[in-house]
Amino acid sequence: MAWDAARLRDDFPALAREVRPGVPLVYLDSAATALIARPVLEAMADFETRHRANIHRGVHTLAEEATALYEQARADIAALIHAPDPREIIFTRNATEAINLVARTWGQANLKAGDTVLLTEMEHHANLVPWQMLAQEKGIHLEFIPVTGEYLLDLDAMQRLLETTRPKLVGVMQVSNVLGTVNPVREIIAAARAVGAVTLVDGAQAVPHMAVDVQAIGADFYAFSGHKMFGPTGIGVLWGRAQLLEAMPPFLGGGDMIRSVSLRSFKTNDIPYKFEAGTPAIAQAIGLGAAARYLQEIGMENVEAHSRALVDETINRLAAVPQVRLFGPGTGRQLASVSFTIDGLHPHDISQVLDTRGAAVRAGHHCAMPLHTRFGLPASTRASFSLYNQREEIDVLIQGILLAIDLFL
Amino acid sequence: MDDLYRQMIVERHKHPLHRGELPHVDFEFEDENPFCGDHLHVMVQVDENNIITDAKFDGSGCAISTASADILMEYVIGKPLDVVKGMDKEELLDLMGIEFGPVRLKCALLSLKVLKGAVYGLEEGE
Ligand SMILES: Cc1ncc(COP(=O)(O)O)c(C=O)c1O
């Protein structure tokens, strides 16, 4: 499909609104939550109005239609990330729940006191806290791949850590939600597997912005969220290798995750149902399937090229503002997010001034407190870009920042 | 802009009157708003009748939390500790004269939270 910016923007109903009279929305916070695409809304409305029924439970027409739509969504999502088998797609509430699922099931069953889990200093809290909780319970060790002064993972240090700590699991984000750094996950996973580690990739910031091929990456688990990829809230995905998933204990207990139940015991269902206890977020899953098809249609290469162009231009223009300190590895090395600080100017104030111009950015630690601590920053401001953003919006961002500097410094 | 950043807030943020150290501290407390990374330290000095003779703050925060701290320090100097203990958030918000959304409200009220921590003699981190 040819890149048609105007048509693309039209696919996102929220872009039609004004933040206040005469001030159009400049949405630069897609890394937190992306806007929802019209085909997603339509798919959900179609389910709710015509096919709404529970899945896997009835033999009437609506139940069969609902089940077919839900399973089609699973297949479409598998196709987007090149999963070999739709049974490997487990619907969760979000990326956070997907990672917790791995910690609670695979981690519970396979980690014991003294084992090491290797993460990175740039992880989102979603890929830190579940392991910290497990560490407290089971006495496992946590180690961290350091982030260099250039905002990249230190791969030499990683190699040493792999050899000295022999981790049972390595967890890494593919794209940083703060720095925008695109980590060489394929290389990291290969190194981790060479020492026998199971690997988990947090793909929350990758799936919306670049082609993802879980088989090429070579990981064992891959987690992401629907709401960051133009889908609804309340739905996320854990992809895992079928063999591993089959060997794992179930997550939550209840309907759908069982094959048979007696008063005192149960037999678990096959994957993926084993991990989907209770009535799932059916409409949301169907919506996410539509989002996956939408992205496939546009082409992830196009999406990535567009995002990179906007990011690079933003970095260059921010670099020309003397008060701005960029927090990321720089042009050509960042995807989606551009974070920065300004001495003496709190991110909240920058964000508030930008809001008066209609621009939505994120201010704070972006659920990556350890990363901010590593660089001695209490907080930063982040502008994040997506397929519906356009160059004129960078003008609004830069003007707003200059205004904030003028006002407060 | 006018709504939120009345000139006073910006002025207070740029040139706070009560930021700094106290030579003698009777009560102090520090706390942070982890959501935004604001960190505030409040110091209070009282006389033998428990009247606040001086109060200062330091730390790092956004314009609203800084201005709020500065306004609050000014307000409590000369008041009895008991009055400060009884202060409620509406009083501070009235002093600032601005309406805040739910997120910025936390910034505006951090100073009162920390001051109360000080005058109630809470241990840091409690
Ligand atoms: C890299 C990364 N991982 C995990 C998450 C968690 O996503 P969610 O809050 O949807 O579970 C986010 C988003 O906040 C993220 O950016």
Side-chain angles (χ1 to χ4, degrees), chain A residues 352-403:
Chain A
Q352 195 90 50
V353 172
L354 284 167
D355 184 64
T356 65
R357 293 292 187 264
V361 298
R362 176 95 183 255
H365 51 63
H366 324 308
C367 297
M369 288 179 90
L371 175 68
H372 282 81
T373 306
R374 151 78 177 84
F375 289 97
L377 300 171
S380 61
T381 307
R382 175 185 72 193
S384 53
F385 296 88
S386 197
L387 48 85
Y388 37 69
N389 290 117
Q390 45 190 1
R391 294 187 59 190
E392 299 76 51
E393 293 175 311
I394 302 175
D395 298 338
V396 177
L397 174 72
I398 301 293
Q399 284 158 13
I401 290 168
L402 293 176
L403 175 63

Side-chain angles (χ1 to χ4, degrees), chain A residues 3-141:
Chain A
W3 191 263
D4 181 348
R7 210 206 98 188
L8 269 177
R9 285 181 68 81
D10 201 43
D11 285 339
F12 292 86
L15 291 174
R17 74 161 279 183
E18 295 177 334
V19 176
R20 55 191 71 77
V23 183
L25 173 64
V26 174
Y27 195 72
L28 301 177
D29 197 20
S30 299
T33 287
L35 300 177
I36 197 163
R38 196 185 303 279
V40 173
L41 289 166
E42 286 167 358
M44 292 199 294
D46 177 60
F47 165 75
E48 297 286 22
T49 50
R50 288 179 44 79
H51 314 287
R52 182 177 162 109
N54 214 320
I55 51 164
H56 304 304
R57 290 182 184 182
V59 287
H60 57 79
T61 305
L62 266 59
E64 281 177 357
E65 289 171 0
T67 304
L69 287 169
Y70 183 76
E71 293 305 327
Q72 184 59 47
R74 199 191 299 278
D76 290 336
I77 292 158
L80 180 71
I81 62 166
H82 298 88
D85 184 347
R87 293 184 310 136
E88 298 177 333
I89 299 291
I90 296 161
F91 285 121
T92 63
R93 281 190 305 136
N94 45 41
T96 302
E97 191 177 87
I99 296 169
N100 275 275
L101 191 160
V102 176
R104 291 282 129 203
T105 63
W106 183 89
Q108 256 326 325
N110 293 286
L111 297 176
K112 54 180 193 314
D115 285 347
T116 296
V117 167
L118 179 61
L119 304 166
T120 84
E121 284 181 347
M122 64 168 77
E123 291 312 298
H124 187 280
H125 298 166
N127 200 22
L128 290 172
V129 181
W131 304 110
Q132 293 170 355
M133 289 165 68
L134 206 58
Q136 280 170 12
E137 275 169 41
K138 305 192 74 161
I140 59 176
H141 296 303

